[in-house]
Amino acid sequence: MNIIVIGSGGREHAVIKKLKESPLCGTIYALPGNGGMADDAVCVPIKATDIEAIAEYAVSNNIDYAVVTPDDPLVLGCVDALEAKGIKCFGPRANAAIIEGSKVFSKNLMKKYGIPTAAYETFDNAQAALDYLESAKTPIVIKADGLALGKGVIIAQNKEEAREAVISIMEDKKFGASGNHIVIEEFMTGPEVSVLAFTDGKCVKPMVSSMDHKRALDNDEGLNTGGMGTVAPNPYYTKSVANECMDKIFIPTMNAMNTEGRTFKGCLYFGLMITPDGPKVVEYNCRFGDPETQVVLPLLESDLLEIMLAVTNGTLTDTEVKISEKSACCVIMASEGYPVSYEKGFEIEADDEVKKDIYFAGAKLAGGKLLTDGGRVLGVTSVADTLEEAIAASYKKAEKIRFSNAFYRHDIGKRALEAGKE
Ligand code: AMP
Ligand code: GLY
């Protein structure tokens, strides 16, 4: 089967490497991909949001299957456009991708169907939001409705910060039209867990749980980023928490989307917080997480392509999703200055032994050399019998990867190790 994978990050590289293990897999084309993936896929310079060009490419190049991974093309209807041309896809249609595309939609869905989440109010008028804040408790969380490159969430410690957040989102349009509507919600506490689950609208089959590290610096200091590293499994996601999530969150979410006439087919990402009152949904994503995928897929023992096809065909119930008992750690190597400003264009050097465990994100090929080309440059993953060994192995590999201005956190997995010893 010839496959297109839409997207260009480390997550897409992880998906591509896993797909390649399948005997059903033919040539993979990455649209647009990045130079670091060139050994694994044919990179085609078409932007992930150029839906018309993607559909045209698929039709004129004998593509059998499309895997749409990033949020924006999914929300924009990339799957709908490809299906209209007769191309089978992995990923939700736009009417289901709205579960990530609109926080007002997802919060109202959870309220309507009794799915546990933070208490909230929605606003489409700044003055009404400011009035509401007068009597609200702090800390409090302000969220822009639409996609905002993962940055549309502000945790306000006091009323002044909350008022500033409302004004910056709704009046100054810090996140553009994403801020026409906002959600103001209760601040929850507890450890966070990411669960990526396959669903075809008939059943939900989760993969291994994971833990992201979103802050730029050690000890969860510094700015929020796209993710500086991940470990799996997440020790806070015990068997009993998993059972509770299945009964109260995963199945009810699938059923709710079906009832709304918005059947979700693809990978549904549950961002969960294990609060003193039990697990609650922080957010839904309509896709694989980045960099969660870089630890979750290496622990998937079943054939990814077979699972994806089963999701597409509605036969997931009969398809095994087998998860390894091992642990994984991914350390992200970024350009110094990320997530604000940074230099790029430096040569990336790594020997072949380490290279096979790298998922490239911000890299490009120029004159036969691989150069840095973004904030998050790459992730290096290790799988081992214990989390401790996986972490140690990833850091050992990171030391062997060289590029000017490289930086990475030194405490990925530390909290998970401590939790595991509690
Ligand atoms: P999101 O983009 O919705 O994942 O939010 C980004 C991060 O903000 C989450 O991973 C949480 O750490 C934090 N967050 C979001 N909503 C809440 C909440 N209601 N209470 C506490 N923290 C939150
Ligand atoms: N790692 C969080 C996300 O993919 O949105």
Side-chain angles (χ1 to χ4, degrees):
M1 274 186 127
N2 291 332
I3 303 173
I4 53 172
V5 174
I6 315 302
S8 64
R11 164 185 58 197
E12 283 73 17
H13 198 184
V15 166
I16 288 167
K17 281 199 180 186
K18 196 73 194 176
L19 285 173
K20 279 185 64 184
E21 290 175 12
S22 172
L24 301 171
C25 182
T27 305
I28 302 185
Y29 301 86
L31 280 54
N34 73 64
M37 299 176 186
D39 291 342
D40 298 304
V42 179
C43 295
V44 181
I46 293 178
K47 265 175 52 184
T49 48
D50 193 347
I51 288 171
E52 228 168 89
I54 292 169
E56 219 161 87
Y57 183 86
V59 170
S60 43
N61 288 276
N62 286 325
I63 298 301
D64 303 297
Y65 195 53
V67 178
V68 186
T69 356
D71 49 4
D72 28 10
L74 287 167
V75 170
L76 288 169
C78 190
V79 167
D80 309 59
L82 285 160
E83 284 180 348
K85 303 259 188 203
I87 309 282
K88 285 193 167 196
C89 295
F90 179 83
R93 295 178 184 157
N95 76 344
I98 192 175
I99 199 166
E100 173 170 5
S102 167
K103 291 202 195 292
V104 172
F105 171 86
S106 65
K107 293 298 289 191
N108 289 342
L109 184 86
M110 288 186 268
K111 187 187 268 180
K112 184 170 172 188
Y113 293 92
I115 298 164
T117 188
Y120 73 100
E121 294 290 335
T122 64
F123 299 91
D124 56 11
N125 168 299
Q127 193 53 51
L130 293 171
D131 291 345
Y132 171 81
L133 287 175
E134 288 301 318
S135 55
K137 274 198 280 180
T138 53
I140 194 158
V141 184
I142 323 281
K143 300 185 171 184
D145 177 42
L147 298 179
L149 299 170
K151 296 189 183 103
V153 174
I154 296 171
I155 298 181
Q157 295 302 330
N158 53 51
K159 285 193 182 168
E160 192 45 41
E161 281 181 26
R163 279 192 288 268
E164 278 170 23
V166 167
I167 289 168
S168 72
I169 296 175
M170 298 197 88
E171 293 196 336
D172 304 341
K173 299 278 184 235
K174 188 172 173 190
F175 306 113
S178 286
N180 290 347
H181 302 266
I182 60 166
V183 173
I184 299 187
E185 69 177 32
E186 164 205 12
F187 176 76
M188 301 186 288
T189 55
E192 287 185 62
V193 178
S194 308
V195 177
L196 282 55
F198 294 108
T199 174
D200 60 354
K202 297 176 187 164
C203 69
V204 182
K205 297 202 172 178
M207 290 175 273
V208 64
S209 62
S210 56
M211 184 191 285
D212 194 2
H213 297 69
K214 287 191 171 149
R215 299 297 199 98
L217 307 174
D218 285 11
N219 302 314
D220 292 327
E221 287 172 9
L223 294 172
N224 235 350
T225 71
M228 293 300 293
T230 34
V231 292
N234 185 322
Y236 292 105
Y237 194 70
T238 59
K239 278 237 155 61
S240 79
V241 170
N243 289 336
E244 200 177 341
C245 288
M246 183 56 90
D247 294 344
K248 294 189 179 156
I249 296 175
F250 303 166
I251 299 288
T253 300
M254 177 187 78
N255 290 338
M257 292 297 276
N258 285 338
T259 307
E260 294 290 311
R262 296 174 181 274
T263 295
F264 187 103
K265 286 175 146 200
C267 175
L268 185 51
Y269 170 126
F270 298 90
L272 305 167
M273 196 170 271
I274 316 303
T275 76
D277 302 327
K280 294 189 181 180
V281 176
V282 179
E283 62 161 349
Y284 293 114
N285 290 330
C286 64
R287 51 170 176 86
F288 289 94
D290 189 343
E292 284 90 343
T293 305
Q294 291 91 311
V295 287
V296 169
L297 286 186
L299 294 175
L300 177 67
E301 289 183 344
S302 309
D303 182 321
L304 176 62
L305 184 50
E306 255 178 40
I307 295 172
M308 287 182 161
L309 291 168
V311 168
T312 306
N313 297 329
T315 55
L316 185 61
T317 308
D318 309 322
T319 306
E320 192 184 19
V321 175
K322 191 160 185 265
I323 311 290
S324 159
E325 294 290 318
K326 293 187 177 185
S327 297
C329 169
C330 172
V331 174
I332 299 291
M333 297 182 72
S335 304
E336 182 78 54
Y338 171 76
V340 184
S341 62
Y342 45 82
E343 284 182 74
K344 48 193 194 179
F346 300 112
E347 185 170 4
I348 305 167
E349 289 174 289
D351 59 40
D352 289 343
E353 191 45 35
V354 174
K355 226 173 159 187
K356 69 176 186 8
D357 298 322
I358 296 180
Y359 299 121
F360 286 98
K364 69 169 180 193
L365 274 173
K369 287 183 180 165
L370 194 60
L371 308 180
T372 64
D373 192 35
R376 287 190 299 170
V377 173
L378 59 88
V380 60
T381 292
S382 304
V383 171
D385 287 338
T386 66
L387 185 55
E388 210 155 11
E389 289 167 288
I391 294 167
S394 276
Y395 278 112
K396 210 166 156 193
K397 290 173 203 168
E399 278 170 25
K400 294 186 184 153
I401 300 167
R402 289 166 306 277
F403 57 92
S404 298
N405 84 346
F407 100 92
Y408 52 90
R409 275 180 61 159
H410 291 84
D411 64 343
I412 301 302
K414 187 169 160 222
R415 184 155 178 228
L417 280 181
E418 284 163 5
K421 284 181 192 140
E422 271 168 16

